[in-house]
Amino acid sequence: MKAVFLALQEFHHFLAGHSVVVMSENTIIVAYIKKQGGTFSQHLSHLTVDILRWAEVHSVSISARFILGKWNVLSDNLSRTSQIMGSEWYLDYLVANKVLNLCGSLTVDLFATALNFWLPFCSPIPDPKALWQDAFQQ
């Protein structure tokens, strides 16, 4: 929970007036954010209240979503800049051309990054070149 709070504080200039989805494999953190506190840990409950007060002051709407650990590959790869993530896939140029010839033109790639896009794209991580972030929320 402390990491969530520190991250929010660090990026507060970008977050003001926006919604933030905290995605975590820690069910306790997700539950405390969703329920705006809890009874299991007084310390976590107080920290959650601090986060929610901070969010209100900075006009940030916070929600939480559980993400299964084996699907949380992004958190492990975000620190490795300029490297293709283990979750990234791309079509071979010849295969992509065959698919385009069969299907017609495509307008957007919902699962790409700045390292592997061919079309305007939706990125799983923050990227100024992307049309959107998180295709599943679109």
Side-chain angles (χ1 to χ4, degrees), residues 35-76:
K35 295 181 180 183
Q36 300 181 356
T39 58
F40 182 74
S41 165
Q42 192 174 30
H43 177 71
L44 279 178
S45 190
H46 288 276
L47 192 51
T48 304
V49 170
D50 290 345
I51 289 171
L52 296 172
R53 285 184 185 145
W54 177 92
E56 186 177 353
V57 167
H58 290 87
S59 300
V60 175
S61 173
I62 296 179
S63 61
R65 185 169 64 168
F66 175 77
I67 182 168
L68 191 62
K70 69 179 181 178
W71 295 110
N72 200 8
V73 295
L74 293 177
S75 64
D76 294 331

mmCIF file of all heavy atoms in Angstrom, residues 35-76:
data_model
loop_
_atom_site.group_PDB
_atom_site.id
_atom_site.type_symbol
_atom_site.label_atom_id
_atom_site.label_comp_id
_atom_site.label_asym_id
_atom_site.label_seq_id
_atom_site.Cartn_x
_atom_site.Cartn_y
_atom_site.Cartn_z
ATOM 1 N N LYS A 35 -12.935 -0.988 -0.680
ATOM 2 C CA LYS A 35 -13.826 -0.778 0.474
ATOM 3 C C LYS A 35 -13.472 0.476 1.275
ATOM 4 O O LYS A 35 -14.067 0.742 2.310
ATOM 5 C CB LYS A 35 -13.790 -2.002 1.380
ATOM 6 C CG LYS A 35 -14.359 -3.232 0.709
ATOM 7 C CD LYS A 35 -14.318 -4.418 1.644
ATOM 8 C CE LYS A 35 -14.886 -5.642 0.943
ATOM 9 N NZ LYS A 35 -14.926 -6.807 1.820
ATOM 10 N N GLN A 36 -12.467 1.210 0.816
ATOM 11 C CA GLN A 36 -12.001 2.438 1.463
ATOM 12 C C GLN A 36 -11.573 2.191 2.910
ATOM 13 O O GLN A 36 -11.889 2.945 3.816
ATOM 14 C CB GLN A 36 -13.072 3.522 1.379
ATOM 15 C CG GLN A 36 -13.424 3.862 -0.042
ATOM 16 C CD GLN A 36 -14.453 4.955 -0.140
ATOM 17 O OE1 GLN A 36 -14.980 5.438 0.839
ATOM 18 N NE2 GLN A 36 -14.738 5.368 -1.362
ATOM 19 N N GLY A 37 -10.837 1.109 3.102
ATOM 20 C CA GLY A 37 -10.329 0.744 4.416
ATOM 21 C C GLY A 37 -10.683 -0.694 4.730
ATOM 22 O O GLY A 37 -11.175 -1.425 3.881
ATOM 23 N N GLY A 38 -10.408 -1.107 5.956
ATOM 24 C CA GLY A 38 -10.701 -2.476 6.353
ATOM 25 C C GLY A 38 -10.445 -2.672 7.836
ATOM 26 O O GLY A 38 -10.044 -1.744 8.541
ATOM 27 N N THR A 39 -10.673 -3.900 8.301
ATOM 28 C CA THR A 39 -10.519 -4.185 9.723
ATOM 29 C C THR A 39 -9.370 -5.140 10.010
ATOM 30 O O THR A 39 -9.032 -5.365 11.168
ATOM 31 C CB THR A 39 -11.821 -4.797 10.283
ATOM 32 O OG1 THR A 39 -12.119 -5.986 9.547
ATOM 33 C CG2 THR A 39 -12.966 -3.823 10.173
ATOM 34 N N PHE A 40 -8.767 -5.718 8.993
ATOM 35 C CA PHE A 40 -7.697 -6.691 9.189
ATOM 36 C C PHE A 40 -6.450 -6.029 9.773
ATOM 37 O O PHE A 40 -5.833 -6.534 10.692
ATOM 38 C CB PHE A 40 -7.379 -7.387 7.864
ATOM 39 C CG PHE A 40 -6.311 -8.436 7.970
ATOM 40 C CD1 PHE A 40 -6.558 -9.659 8.566
ATOM 41 C CD2 PHE A 40 -5.044 -8.195 7.468
ATOM 42 C CE1 PHE A 40 -5.571 -10.620 8.670
ATOM 43 C CE2 PHE A 40 -4.042 -9.144 7.566
ATOM 44 C CZ PHE A 40 -4.312 -10.367 8.166
ATOM 45 N N SER A 41 -6.084 -4.886 9.207
ATOM 46 C CA SER A 41 -4.873 -4.187 9.650
ATOM 47 C C SER A 41 -5.192 -2.709 9.860
ATOM 48 O O SER A 41 -5.574 -2.015 8.915
ATOM 49 C CB SER A 41 -3.769 -4.338 8.608
ATOM 50 O OG SER A 41 -2.726 -3.417 8.838
ATOM 51 N N GLN A 42 -5.018 -2.257 11.077
ATOM 52 C CA GLN A 42 -5.276 -0.850 11.375
ATOM 53 C C GLN A 42 -4.310 0.049 10.593
ATOM 54 O O GLN A 42 -4.696 1.094 10.084
ATOM 55 C CB GLN A 42 -5.145 -0.610 12.874
ATOM 56 C CG GLN A 42 -5.670 0.730 13.309
ATOM 57 C CD GLN A 42 -5.650 0.886 14.814
ATOM 58 O OE1 GLN A 42 -4.808 0.311 15.503
ATOM 59 N NE2 GLN A 42 -6.578 1.668 15.337
ATOM 60 N N HIS A 43 -3.064 -0.392 10.476
ATOM 61 C CA HIS A 43 -2.062 0.392 9.736
ATOM 62 C C HIS A 43 -2.472 0.540 8.266
ATOM 63 O O HIS A 43 -2.429 1.649 7.718
ATOM 64 C CB HIS A 43 -0.686 -0.273 9.845
ATOM 65 C CG HIS A 43 0.372 0.428 9.046
ATOM 66 N ND1 HIS A 43 0.871 1.660 9.397
ATOM 67 C CD2 HIS A 43 1.008 0.074 7.908
ATOM 68 C CE1 HIS A 43 1.781 2.038 8.512
ATOM 69 N NE2 HIS A 43 1.880 1.086 7.601
ATOM 70 N N LEU A 44 -2.870 -0.562 7.626
ATOM 71 C CA LEU A 44 -3.305 -0.489 6.229
ATOM 72 C C LEU A 44 -4.552 0.360 6.075
ATOM 73 O O LEU A 44 -4.706 1.098 5.094
ATOM 74 C CB LEU A 44 -3.569 -1.888 5.668
ATOM 75 C CG LEU A 44 -2.362 -2.680 5.206
ATOM 76 C CD1 LEU A 44 -2.787 -4.060 4.713
ATOM 77 C CD2 LEU A 44 -1.606 -1.947 4.125
ATOM 78 N N SER A 45 -5.450 0.259 7.021
ATOM 79 C CA SER A 45 -6.674 1.046 6.973
ATOM 80 C C SER A 45 -6.357 2.536 7.037
ATOM 81 O O SER A 45 -6.899 3.335 6.261
ATOM 82 C CB SER A 45 -7.608 0.650 8.112
ATOM 83 O OG SER A 45 -8.863 1.238 7.920
ATOM 84 N N HIS A 46 -5.459 2.920 7.939
ATOM 85 C CA HIS A 46 -5.059 4.326 8.044
ATOM 86 C C HIS A 46 -4.355 4.798 6.776
ATOM 87 O O HIS A 46 -4.597 5.918 6.306
ATOM 88 C CB HIS A 46 -4.155 4.551 9.265
ATOM 89 C CG HIS A 46 -4.880 4.478 10.554
ATOM 90 N ND1 HIS A 46 -5.561 5.538 11.114
ATOM 91 C CD2 HIS A 46 -5.056 3.442 11.414
ATOM 92 C CE1 HIS A 46 -6.113 5.170 12.250
ATOM 93 N NE2 HIS A 46 -5.820 3.900 12.457
ATOM 94 N N LEU A 47 -3.503 3.954 6.232
ATOM 95 C CA LEU A 47 -2.792 4.309 5.005
ATOM 96 C C LEU A 47 -3.776 4.463 3.843
ATOM 97 O O LEU A 47 -3.642 5.372 3.027
ATOM 98 C CB LEU A 47 -1.729 3.249 4.686
ATOM 99 C CG LEU A 47 -0.704 3.588 3.618
ATOM 100 C CD1 LEU A 47 -0.044 4.942 3.852
ATOM 101 C CD2 LEU A 47 0.354 2.493 3.563
ATOM 102 N N THR A 48 -4.767 3.600 3.778
ATOM 103 C CA THR A 48 -5.788 3.705 2.741
ATOM 104 C C THR A 48 -6.548 5.021 2.862
ATOM 105 O O THR A 48 -6.783 5.710 1.863
ATOM 106 C CB THR A 48 -6.780 2.522 2.820
ATOM 107 O OG1 THR A 48 -6.044 1.305 2.731
ATOM 108 C CG2 THR A 48 -7.796 2.586 1.701
ATOM 109 N N VAL A 49 -6.920 5.379 4.070
ATOM 110 C CA VAL A 49 -7.612 6.645 4.297
ATOM 111 C C VAL A 49 -6.718 7.815 3.888
ATOM 112 O O VAL A 49 -7.182 8.775 3.262
ATOM 113 C CB VAL A 49 -8.068 6.771 5.770
ATOM 114 C CG1 VAL A 49 -8.561 8.182 6.087
ATOM 115 C CG2 VAL A 49 -9.159 5.749 6.062
ATOM 116 N N ASP A 50 -5.429 7.738 4.188
ATOM 117 C CA ASP A 50 -4.488 8.791 3.773
ATOM 118 C C ASP A 50 -4.448 8.906 2.250
ATOM 119 O O ASP A 50 -4.427 10.011 1.700
ATOM 120 C CB ASP A 50 -3.081 8.503 4.304
ATOM 121 C CG ASP A 50 -2.964 8.674 5.814
ATOM 122 O OD1 ASP A 50 -3.873 9.290 6.425
ATOM 123 O OD2 ASP A 50 -1.970 8.174 6.375
ATOM 124 N N ILE A 51 -4.430 7.768 1.576
ATOM 125 C CA ILE A 51 -4.411 7.766 0.107
ATOM 126 C C ILE A 51 -5.680 8.403 -0.437
ATOM 127 O O ILE A 51 -5.638 9.235 -1.354
ATOM 128 C CB ILE A 51 -4.238 6.330 -0.441
ATOM 129 C CG1 ILE A 51 -2.817 5.836 -0.167
ATOM 130 C CG2 ILE A 51 -4.566 6.266 -1.926
ATOM 131 C CD1 ILE A 51 -2.611 4.364 -0.479
ATOM 132 N N LEU A 52 -6.817 8.027 0.110
ATOM 133 C CA LEU A 52 -8.092 8.555 -0.384
ATOM 134 C C LEU A 52 -8.223 10.053 -0.112
ATOM 135 O O LEU A 52 -8.749 10.797 -0.954
ATOM 136 C CB LEU A 52 -9.250 7.768 0.218
ATOM 137 C CG LEU A 52 -9.292 6.297 -0.202
ATOM 138 C CD1 LEU A 52 -10.353 5.540 0.583
ATOM 139 C CD2 LEU A 52 -9.527 6.160 -1.696
ATOM 140 N N ARG A 53 -7.734 10.502 1.030
ATOM 141 C CA ARG A 53 -7.731 11.951 1.315
ATOM 142 C C ARG A 53 -6.814 12.683 0.346
ATOM 143 O O ARG A 53 -7.153 13.750 -0.166
ATOM 144 C CB ARG A 53 -7.293 12.206 2.752
ATOM 145 C CG ARG A 53 -8.352 11.887 3.766
ATOM 146 C CD ARG A 53 -7.896 12.262 5.164
ATOM 147 N NE ARG A 53 -8.880 11.847 6.141
ATOM 148 C CZ ARG A 53 -8.599 11.421 7.349
ATOM 149 N NH1 ARG A 53 -7.340 11.373 7.763
ATOM 150 N NH2 ARG A 53 -9.539 11.057 8.175
ATOM 151 N N TRP A 54 -5.639 12.124 0.128
ATOM 152 C CA TRP A 54 -4.697 12.721 -0.824
ATOM 153 C C TRP A 54 -5.339 12.809 -2.206
ATOM 154 O O TRP A 54 -5.241 13.832 -2.885
ATOM 155 C CB TRP A 54 -3.416 11.880 -0.881
ATOM 156 C CG TRP A 54 -2.432 12.383 -1.883
ATOM 157 C CD1 TRP A 54 -1.426 13.260 -1.671
ATOM 158 C CD2 TRP A 54 -2.391 12.044 -3.273
ATOM 159 N NE1 TRP A 54 -0.747 13.490 -2.842
ATOM 160 C CE2 TRP A 54 -1.322 12.761 -3.844
ATOM 161 C CE3 TRP A 54 -3.144 11.222 -4.091
ATOM 162 C CZ2 TRP A 54 -0.992 12.676 -5.184
ATOM 163 C CZ3 TRP A 54 -2.826 11.132 -5.438
ATOM 164 C CH2 TRP A 54 -1.766 11.854 -5.966
ATOM 165 N N ALA A 55 -6.007 11.727 -2.620
ATOM 166 C CA ALA A 55 -6.656 11.688 -3.936
ATOM 167 C C ALA A 55 -7.738 12.766 -4.042
ATOM 168 O O ALA A 55 -7.867 13.424 -5.082
ATOM 169 C CB ALA A 55 -7.244 10.302 -4.186
ATOM 170 N N GLU A 56 -8.489 12.946 -2.985
ATOM 171 C CA GLU A 56 -9.546 13.962 -3.006
ATOM 172 C C GLU A 56 -8.953 15.368 -3.154
ATOM 173 O O GLU A 56 -9.433 16.168 -3.949
ATOM 174 C CB GLU A 56 -10.373 13.868 -1.723
ATOM 175 C CG GLU A 56 -11.569 14.789 -1.714
ATOM 176 C CD GLU A 56 -12.427 14.637 -0.466
ATOM 177 O OE1 GLU A 56 -12.181 13.720 0.339
ATOM 178 O OE2 GLU A 56 -13.347 15.448 -0.308
ATOM 179 N N VAL A 57 -7.897 15.636 -2.410
ATOM 180 C CA VAL A 57 -7.246 16.942 -2.482
ATOM 181 C C VAL A 57 -6.696 17.206 -3.887
ATOM 182 O O VAL A 57 -6.751 18.325 -4.392
ATOM 183 C CB VAL A 57 -6.108 17.045 -1.429
ATOM 184 C CG1 VAL A 57 -5.215 18.244 -1.676
ATOM 185 C CG2 VAL A 57 -6.698 17.081 -0.035
ATOM 186 N N HIS A 58 -6.191 16.159 -4.545
ATOM 187 C CA HIS A 58 -5.578 16.306 -5.868
ATOM 188 C C HIS A 58 -6.536 15.979 -7.014
ATOM 189 O O HIS A 58 -6.102 15.846 -8.165
ATOM 190 C CB HIS A 58 -4.324 15.430 -5.945
ATOM 191 C CG HIS A 58 -3.207 15.937 -5.090
ATOM 192 N ND1 HIS A 58 -3.083 15.583 -3.762
ATOM 193 C CD2 HIS A 58 -2.198 16.796 -5.354
ATOM 194 C CE1 HIS A 58 -2.031 16.195 -3.257
ATOM 195 N NE2 HIS A 58 -1.472 16.935 -4.186
ATOM 196 N N SER A 59 -7.819 15.836 -6.716
ATOM 197 C CA SER A 59 -8.850 15.547 -7.738
ATOM 198 C C SER A 59 -8.520 14.300 -8.548
ATOM 199 O O SER A 59 -8.609 14.285 -9.775
ATOM 200 C CB SER A 59 -9.024 16.746 -8.669
ATOM 201 O OG SER A 59 -9.413 17.875 -7.945
ATOM 202 N N VAL A 60 -8.106 13.249 -7.846
ATOM 203 C CA VAL A 60 -7.780 11.976 -8.491
ATOM 204 C C VAL A 60 -8.807 10.940 -8.034
ATOM 205 O O VAL A 60 -9.060 10.781 -6.847
ATOM 206 C CB VAL A 60 -6.357 11.499 -8.095
ATOM 207 C CG1 VAL A 60 -6.060 10.122 -8.674
ATOM 208 C CG2 VAL A 60 -5.318 12.508 -8.551
ATOM 209 N N SER A 61 -9.406 10.275 -8.997
ATOM 210 C CA SER A 61 -10.351 9.199 -8.693
ATOM 211 C C SER A 61 -9.586 7.875 -8.722
ATOM 212 O O SER A 61 -8.910 7.563 -9.703
ATOM 213 C CB SER A 61 -11.460 9.185 -9.749
ATOM 214 O OG SER A 61 -12.287 8.066 -9.579
ATOM 215 N N ILE A 62 -9.682 7.100 -7.645
ATOM 216 C CA ILE A 62 -8.906 5.860 -7.535
ATOM 217 C C ILE A 62 -9.847 4.661 -7.473
ATOM 218 O O ILE A 62 -10.833 4.663 -6.734
ATOM 219 C CB ILE A 62 -8.017 5.871 -6.277
ATOM 220 C CG1 ILE A 62 -6.987 6.981 -6.378
ATOM 221 C CG2 ILE A 62 -7.320 4.531 -6.092
ATOM 222 C CD1 ILE A 62 -6.079 7.090 -5.180
ATOM 223 N N SER A 63 -9.522 3.646 -8.259
ATOM 224 C CA SER A 63 -10.202 2.356 -8.173
ATOM 225 C C SER A 63 -9.121 1.284 -8.166
ATOM 226 O O SER A 63 -7.950 1.562 -8.414
ATOM 227 C CB SER A 63 -11.177 2.158 -9.336
ATOM 228 O OG SER A 63 -10.498 2.186 -10.565
ATOM 229 N N ALA A 64 -9.510 0.061 -7.875
ATOM 230 C CA ALA A 64 -8.528 -1.021 -7.806
ATOM 231 C C ALA A 64 -9.056 -2.243 -8.532
ATOM 232 O O ALA A 64 -10.259 -2.488 -8.581
ATOM 233 C CB ALA A 64 -8.225 -1.368 -6.357
ATOM 234 N N ARG A 65 -8.127 -2.997 -9.085
ATOM 235 C CA ARG A 65 -8.480 -4.213 -9.804
ATOM 236 C C ARG A 65 -7.418 -5.272 -9.533
ATOM 237 O O ARG A 65 -6.216 -4.974 -9.558
ATOM 238 C CB ARG A 65 -8.565 -3.915 -11.305
ATOM 239 C CG ARG A 65 -9.043 -5.083 -12.128
ATOM 240 C CD ARG A 65 -9.368 -4.671 -13.536
ATOM 241 N NE ARG A 65 -8.178 -4.196 -14.218
ATOM 242 C CZ ARG A 65 -8.106 -3.985 -15.515
ATOM 243 N NH1 ARG A 65 -9.154 -4.159 -16.273
ATOM 244 N NH2 ARG A 65 -7.004 -3.567 -16.068
ATOM 245 N N PHE A 66 -7.870 -6.475 -9.271
ATOM 246 C CA PHE A 66 -6.957 -7.598 -9.047
ATOM 247 C C PHE A 66 -6.413 -8.076 -10.381
ATOM 248 O O PHE A 66 -7.133 -8.151 -11.379
ATOM 249 C CB PHE A 66 -7.702 -8.745 -8.352
ATOM 250 C CG PHE A 66 -6.855 -9.981 -8.197
ATOM 251 C CD1 PHE A 66 -5.877 -10.056 -7.218
ATOM 252 C CD2 PHE A 66 -7.028 -11.061 -9.043
ATOM 253 C CE1 PHE A 66 -5.090 -11.190 -7.082
ATOM 254 C CE2 PHE A 66 -6.254 -12.202 -8.909
ATOM 255 C CZ PHE A 66 -5.284 -12.265 -7.926
ATOM 256 N N ILE A 67 -5.127 -8.372 -10.412
ATOM 257 C CA ILE A 67 -4.519 -8.961 -11.606
ATOM 258 C C ILE A 67 -3.712 -10.172 -11.143
ATOM 259 O O ILE A 67 -2.888 -10.073 -10.234
ATOM 260 C CB ILE A 67 -3.658 -7.942 -12.389
ATOM 261 C CG1 ILE A 67 -3.095 -8.569 -13.641
ATOM 262 C CG2 ILE A 67 -2.581 -7.342 -11.522
ATOM 263 C CD1 ILE A 67 -2.491 -7.585 -14.617
ATOM 264 N N LEU A 68 -3.996 -11.299 -11.734
ATOM 265 C CA LEU A 68 -3.328 -12.544 -11.372
ATOM 266 C C LEU A 68 -1.827 -12.404 -11.593
ATOM 267 O O LEU A 68 -1.379 -11.867 -12.601
ATOM 268 C CB LEU A 68 -3.898 -13.679 -12.217
ATOM 269 C CG LEU A 68 -3.535 -15.106 -11.823
ATOM 270 C CD1 LEU A 68 -4.045 -15.425 -10.427
ATOM 271 C CD2 LEU A 68 -4.137 -16.079 -12.822
ATOM 272 N N GLY A 69 -1.039 -12.866 -10.639
ATOM 273 C CA GLY A 69 0.412 -12.704 -10.682
ATOM 274 C C GLY A 69 1.047 -13.133 -11.992
ATOM 275 O O GLY A 69 1.906 -12.442 -12.527
ATOM 276 N N LYS A 70 0.621 -14.260 -12.545
ATOM 277 C CA LYS A 70 1.254 -14.724 -13.787
ATOM 278 C C LYS A 70 0.919 -13.841 -14.981
ATOM 279 O O LYS A 70 1.598 -13.875 -15.992
ATOM 280 C CB LYS A 70 0.883 -16.178 -14.071
ATOM 281 C CG LYS A 70 -0.552 -16.422 -14.447
ATOM 282 C CD LYS A 70 -0.771 -17.898 -14.711
ATOM 283 C CE LYS A 70 -2.202 -18.180 -15.117
ATOM 284 N NZ LYS A 70 -2.410 -19.582 -15.420
ATOM 285 N N TRP A 71 -0.137 -13.021 -14.854
ATOM 286 C CA TRP A 71 -0.486 -12.090 -15.936
ATOM 287 C C TRP A 71 0.116 -10.712 -15.692
ATOM 288 O O TRP A 71 0.005 -9.826 -16.530
ATOM 289 C CB TRP A 71 -1.999 -11.965 -16.063
ATOM 290 C CG TRP A 71 -2.642 -13.234 -16.482
ATOM 291 C CD1 TRP A 71 -3.431 -14.035 -15.731
ATOM 292 C CD2 TRP A 71 -2.528 -13.885 -17.750
ATOM 293 N NE1 TRP A 71 -3.823 -15.137 -16.436
ATOM 294 C CE2 TRP A 71 -3.280 -15.074 -17.686
ATOM 295 C CE3 TRP A 71 -1.852 -13.581 -18.933
ATOM 296 C CZ2 TRP A 71 -3.384 -15.951 -18.751
ATOM 297 C CZ3 TRP A 71 -1.961 -14.451 -19.998
ATOM 298 C CH2 TRP A 71 -2.714 -15.613 -19.894
ATOM 299 N N ASN A 72 0.743 -10.500 -14.570
ATOM 300 C CA ASN A 72 1.278 -9.198 -14.200
ATOM 301 C C ASN A 72 2.713 -9.018 -14.712
ATOM 302 O O ASN A 72 3.580 -8.550 -13.999
ATOM 303 C CB ASN A 72 1.212 -9.037 -12.679
ATOM 304 C CG ASN A 72 1.280 -7.592 -12.250
ATOM 305 O OD1 ASN A 72 1.223 -6.689 -13.066
ATOM 306 N ND2 ASN A 72 1.418 -7.374 -10.962
ATOM 307 N N VAL A 73 2.952 -9.410 -15.950
ATOM 308 C CA VAL A 73 4.298 -9.343 -16.516
ATOM 309 C C VAL A 73 4.774 -7.909 -16.713
ATOM 310 O O VAL A 73 5.973 -7.655 -16.725
ATOM 311 C CB VAL A 73 4.385 -10.116 -17.855
ATOM 312 C CG1 VAL A 73 4.164 -11.583 -17.637
ATOM 313 C CG2 VAL A 73 3.407 -9.563 -18.869
ATOM 314 N N LEU A 74 3.847 -6.968 -16.830
ATOM 315 C CA LEU A 74 4.256 -5.584 -17.064
ATOM 316 C C LEU A 74 5.056 -5.021 -15.900
ATOM 317 O O LEU A 74 6.051 -4.328 -16.102
ATOM 318 C CB LEU A 74 3.038 -4.704 -17.329
ATOM 319 C CG LEU A 74 2.304 -4.985 -18.620
ATOM 320 C CD1 LEU A 74 1.081 -4.094 -18.719
ATOM 321 C CD2 LEU A 74 3.211 -4.795 -19.809
ATOM 322 N N SER A 75 4.627 -5.319 -14.681
ATOM 323 C CA SER A 75 5.338 -4.760 -13.532
ATOM 324 C C SER A 75 6.781 -5.245 -13.471
ATOM 325 O O SER A 75 7.662 -4.533 -12.996
ATOM 326 C CB SER A 75 4.610 -5.103 -12.232
ATOM 327 O OG SER A 75 4.613 -6.496 -12.030
ATOM 328 N N ASP A 76 7.019 -6.433 -13.961
ATOM 329 C CA ASP A 76 8.381 -6.963 -13.960
ATOM 330 C C ASP A 76 9.238 -6.386 -15.076
ATOM 331 O O ASP A 76 10.454 -6.428 -15.026
ATOM 332 C CB ASP A 76 8.370 -8.487 -14.086
ATOM 333 C CG ASP A 76 7.744 -9.158 -12.878
ATOM 334 O OD1 ASP A 76 7.828 -8.579 -11.780
ATOM 335 O OD2 ASP A 76 7.173 -10.247 -13.039
#
